[in-house]
Amino acid sequence: MTPSTDPIDKFWRIGLITVLAVYLLIFVGGVVRASGSGMGCPDWPTCFGRLIPPTQESQLPPDYHEKYIGYGDTTFNPVKTWTEYVNRLLGVTIGLLILTTFLRAWPFRRTDPPVFHQALGAFLLVGFQGWLGSRVVASELKPVLITVHMVVAFIIVSLLIHTLCRARRDWLTGLDTRGLPPRWRTVLGVALGLTLLQVAMGTQIREAVDGITNAQVIAERNIWREHFPIIFYVHRSFSSVILFTNLWLAWKLWQALAPGHLLRRVGLLLAGLVVVAILTGVTLDRLGFPAYVQPFHLLLANLIFGCQFFLFNATGYARSAPPAALTIPGSATRL
């Protein structure tokens, strides 16, 4: 079977791979932060002045404690160094994928300029993200810069999802969503805002954790919660609103759409992600913030928003189609 030469197919495939890679980078970034590996490479773009980082302390200069920021009273840890190095390698890979996505968007500059412009915007944002990463290292992991770094990743993946939906809008208009209640998309818009609010509260909690650990006030993770600001308890309680809102959205998709419908499957995925995200939050709360759970909690929050954002874009195109384009065999009728 020969690969498709359709520019839309080629753009869509590389764009989807890029979105998945960005999510992987978000997860690895969470691992770096949770494991305290952010200063594993104290300089940028090299690591201890090398293209390939060292694996043992004997490979470092004798004065590395004085030479590198953050290592005045810290012993070299090869695991943390290579964790951060893998994060950087993945970041370079994302840059190459974004570049390829932009090049694949080149044919759209005349046929569909918004696709081209959005792909260009994502490419420029990745360049900004690389520069921001260097500032994070130079600031010795200033919490505010780390949060901004995460927000930019959020914007990049959202822009890519929007661009992919735009490129495939002719296909999306063929999706039958007439069975959904008129207020469904309004509730979805509210759910998007609630997710962003929940993520914002989560970043404030993460900055509170950074304040505790950077000041070396409390080393024991299991008592961190006792020193969290009130926003932690708001964030925890707010998860019930997130849960019921998204379950309602998924249930309406299940009721209204035919078995095998793309959006019905995405709705089930959304519901599953929300449930698992809440379970990881409960684990963090009850088991003393285990480091291995934190990256999954972060990734799940980003995936939830990604699913919601895709549904918002997809249903927008589907609802804008004329009735004839929406009729497909086996579609469900309005309940």
mmCIF file of all heavy atoms in Angstrom, residues 5 23 31 38 71 78 103 128 170 199 203 235 240 254 312 319:
data_model
loop_
_atom_site.group_PDB
_atom_site.id
_atom_site.type_symbol
_atom_site.label_atom_id
_atom_site.label_comp_id
_atom_site.label_asym_id
_atom_site.label_seq_id
_atom_site.Cartn_x
_atom_site.Cartn_y
_atom_site.Cartn_z
ATOM 1 N N THR A 5 -0.188 10.796 -1.055
ATOM 2 C CA THR A 5 0.540 12.002 -1.460
ATOM 3 C C THR A 5 -0.306 13.254 -1.243
ATOM 4 O O THR A 5 0.120 14.349 -1.598
ATOM 5 C CB THR A 5 0.933 11.907 -2.943
ATOM 6 O OG1 THR A 5 -0.247 11.710 -3.734
ATOM 7 C CG2 THR A 5 1.894 10.742 -3.178
ATOM 8 N N TYR A 23 2.998 15.868 24.180
ATOM 9 C CA TYR A 23 2.472 15.285 25.412
ATOM 10 C C TYR A 23 3.535 14.447 26.124
ATOM 11 O O TYR A 23 3.631 14.462 27.357
ATOM 12 C CB TYR A 23 1.243 14.432 25.118
ATOM 13 C CG TYR A 23 -0.031 15.227 24.971
ATOM 14 C CD1 TYR A 23 -0.831 15.115 23.833
ATOM 15 C CD2 TYR A 23 -0.442 16.106 25.973
ATOM 16 C CE1 TYR A 23 -1.997 15.852 23.697
ATOM 17 C CE2 TYR A 23 -1.604 16.850 25.840
ATOM 18 C CZ TYR A 23 -2.380 16.717 24.706
ATOM 19 O OH TYR A 23 -3.526 17.456 24.583
ATOM 20 N N VAL A 31 8.486 14.493 35.098
ATOM 21 C CA VAL A 31 9.433 13.593 35.761
ATOM 22 C C VAL A 31 10.652 14.375 36.243
ATOM 23 O O VAL A 31 11.144 14.187 37.368
ATOM 24 C CB VAL A 31 9.872 12.464 34.800
ATOM 25 C CG1 VAL A 31 11.016 11.648 35.406
ATOM 26 C CG2 VAL A 31 8.692 11.553 34.479
ATOM 27 N N GLY A 38 15.906 19.189 37.656
ATOM 28 C CA GLY A 38 15.942 20.389 36.834
ATOM 29 C C GLY A 38 17.320 21.000 36.682
ATOM 30 O O GLY A 38 17.624 21.600 35.646
ATOM 31 N N TYR A 71 25.611 24.080 42.264
ATOM 32 C CA TYR A 71 26.386 22.925 42.710
ATOM 33 C C TYR A 71 27.354 23.265 43.830
ATOM 34 O O TYR A 71 28.285 22.516 44.105
ATOM 35 C CB TYR A 71 27.146 22.309 41.520
ATOM 36 C CG TYR A 71 26.314 21.288 40.779
ATOM 37 C CD1 TYR A 71 25.338 21.688 39.889
ATOM 38 C CD2 TYR A 71 26.477 19.929 41.002
ATOM 39 C CE1 TYR A 71 24.546 20.765 39.222
ATOM 40 C CE2 TYR A 71 25.698 18.997 40.345
ATOM 41 C CZ TYR A 71 24.731 19.424 39.457
ATOM 42 O OH TYR A 71 23.951 18.499 38.813
ATOM 43 N N PRO A 78 24.440 11.338 38.536
ATOM 44 C CA PRO A 78 24.298 11.002 37.110
ATOM 45 C C PRO A 78 22.859 10.715 36.682
ATOM 46 O O PRO A 78 22.488 10.994 35.539
ATOM 47 C CB PRO A 78 25.179 9.763 36.949
ATOM 48 C CG PRO A 78 25.326 9.198 38.323
ATOM 49 C CD PRO A 78 25.271 10.361 39.252
ATOM 50 N N LEU A 103 6.806 22.841 7.507
ATOM 51 C CA LEU A 103 7.130 22.645 6.093
ATOM 52 C C LEU A 103 5.988 21.941 5.359
ATOM 53 O O LEU A 103 5.695 22.255 4.197
ATOM 54 C CB LEU A 103 8.430 21.843 5.960
ATOM 55 C CG LEU A 103 9.703 22.546 6.468
ATOM 56 C CD1 LEU A 103 10.894 21.614 6.374
ATOM 57 C CD2 LEU A 103 9.951 23.834 5.689
ATOM 58 N N PHE A 128 10.614 30.015 21.047
ATOM 59 C CA PHE A 128 10.505 30.773 22.303
ATOM 60 C C PHE A 128 10.609 29.847 23.505
ATOM 61 O O PHE A 128 11.249 30.185 24.510
ATOM 62 C CB PHE A 128 9.178 31.528 22.328
ATOM 63 C CG PHE A 128 8.889 32.208 23.641
ATOM 64 C CD1 PHE A 128 9.577 33.352 24.011
ATOM 65 C CD2 PHE A 128 7.937 31.689 24.513
ATOM 66 C CE1 PHE A 128 9.318 33.979 25.231
ATOM 67 C CE2 PHE A 128 7.671 32.304 25.724
ATOM 68 C CZ PHE A 128 8.360 33.453 26.095
ATOM 69 N N ASP A 170 -13.210 19.567 6.352
ATOM 70 C CA ASP A 170 -14.135 18.984 5.373
ATOM 71 C C ASP A 170 -14.620 17.610 5.828
ATOM 72 O O ASP A 170 -15.777 17.248 5.601
ATOM 73 C CB ASP A 170 -13.454 18.874 4.005
ATOM 74 C CG ASP A 170 -13.223 20.242 3.371
ATOM 75 O OD1 ASP A 170 -13.891 21.206 3.806
ATOM 76 O OD2 ASP A 170 -12.390 20.340 2.461
ATOM 77 N N VAL A 199 -6.191 23.749 36.407
ATOM 78 C CA VAL A 199 -4.761 23.672 36.115
ATOM 79 C C VAL A 199 -4.030 24.852 36.744
ATOM 80 O O VAL A 199 -2.928 24.706 37.299
ATOM 81 C CB VAL A 199 -4.521 23.623 34.595
ATOM 82 C CG1 VAL A 199 -3.038 23.816 34.265
ATOM 83 C CG2 VAL A 199 -5.021 22.313 34.014
ATOM 84 N N THR A 203 -0.923 24.723 39.400
ATOM 85 C CA THR A 203 0.405 25.341 39.280
ATOM 86 C C THR A 203 0.765 26.125 40.543
ATOM 87 O O THR A 203 1.936 26.169 40.948
ATOM 88 C CB THR A 203 0.465 26.271 38.062
ATOM 89 O OG1 THR A 203 -0.516 27.310 38.196
ATOM 90 C CG2 THR A 203 0.211 25.508 36.784
ATOM 91 N N HIS A 235 -8.670 23.439 45.245
ATOM 92 C CA HIS A 235 -8.316 22.588 44.103
ATOM 93 C C HIS A 235 -8.851 21.167 44.306
ATOM 94 O O HIS A 235 -9.421 20.576 43.382
ATOM 95 C CB HIS A 235 -6.789 22.569 43.954
ATOM 96 C CG HIS A 235 -6.285 21.690 42.848
ATOM 97 N ND1 HIS A 235 -6.331 22.051 41.528
ATOM 98 C CD2 HIS A 235 -5.702 20.461 42.888
ATOM 99 C CE1 HIS A 235 -5.792 21.091 40.785
ATOM 100 N NE2 HIS A 235 -5.411 20.121 41.587
ATOM 101 N N SER A 240 -14.570 17.673 42.078
ATOM 102 C CA SER A 240 -15.905 17.080 41.951
ATOM 103 C C SER A 240 -16.706 17.795 40.870
ATOM 104 O O SER A 240 -17.471 17.164 40.121
ATOM 105 C CB SER A 240 -16.651 17.136 43.294
ATOM 106 O OG SER A 240 -16.804 18.471 43.738
ATOM 107 N N TRP A 254 -22.546 9.621 24.487
ATOM 108 C CA TRP A 254 -22.893 8.199 24.454
ATOM 109 C C TRP A 254 -24.356 8.012 24.041
ATOM 110 O O TRP A 254 -24.681 7.113 23.257
ATOM 111 C CB TRP A 254 -22.640 7.590 25.829
ATOM 112 C CG TRP A 254 -23.031 6.138 25.923
ATOM 113 C CD1 TRP A 254 -24.218 5.617 26.337
ATOM 114 C CD2 TRP A 254 -22.217 5.026 25.565
ATOM 115 N NE1 TRP A 254 -24.202 4.241 26.276
ATOM 116 C CE2 TRP A 254 -22.979 3.853 25.810
ATOM 117 C CE3 TRP A 254 -20.910 4.901 25.086
ATOM 118 C CZ2 TRP A 254 -22.481 2.574 25.575
ATOM 119 C CZ3 TRP A 254 -20.413 3.618 24.850
ATOM 120 C CH2 TRP A 254 -21.186 2.481 25.093
ATOM 121 N N PHE A 312 -14.455 20.457 21.139
ATOM 122 C CA PHE A 312 -14.995 21.802 20.888
ATOM 123 C C PHE A 312 -14.805 22.185 19.422
ATOM 124 O O PHE A 312 -15.716 22.718 18.787
ATOM 125 C CB PHE A 312 -14.314 22.814 21.803
ATOM 126 C CG PHE A 312 -14.955 24.172 21.795
ATOM 127 C CD1 PHE A 312 -16.082 24.423 22.567
ATOM 128 C CD2 PHE A 312 -14.443 25.197 21.020
ATOM 129 C CE1 PHE A 312 -16.691 25.673 22.559
ATOM 130 C CE2 PHE A 312 -15.033 26.446 21.007
ATOM 131 C CZ PHE A 312 -16.164 26.687 21.782
ATOM 132 N N ARG A 319 -21.421 21.148 13.465
ATOM 133 C CA ARG A 319 -22.663 21.908 13.593
ATOM 134 C C ARG A 319 -22.796 22.985 12.520
ATOM 135 O O ARG A 319 -23.890 23.476 12.273
ATOM 136 C CB ARG A 319 -22.738 22.552 14.982
ATOM 137 C CG ARG A 319 -23.076 21.553 16.078
ATOM 138 C CD ARG A 319 -23.043 22.201 17.451
ATOM 139 N NE ARG A 319 -23.458 21.251 18.477
ATOM 140 C CZ ARG A 319 -24.721 21.074 18.872
ATOM 141 N NH1 ARG A 319 -25.679 21.783 18.298
ATOM 142 N NH2 ARG A 319 -25.023 20.201 19.791
#
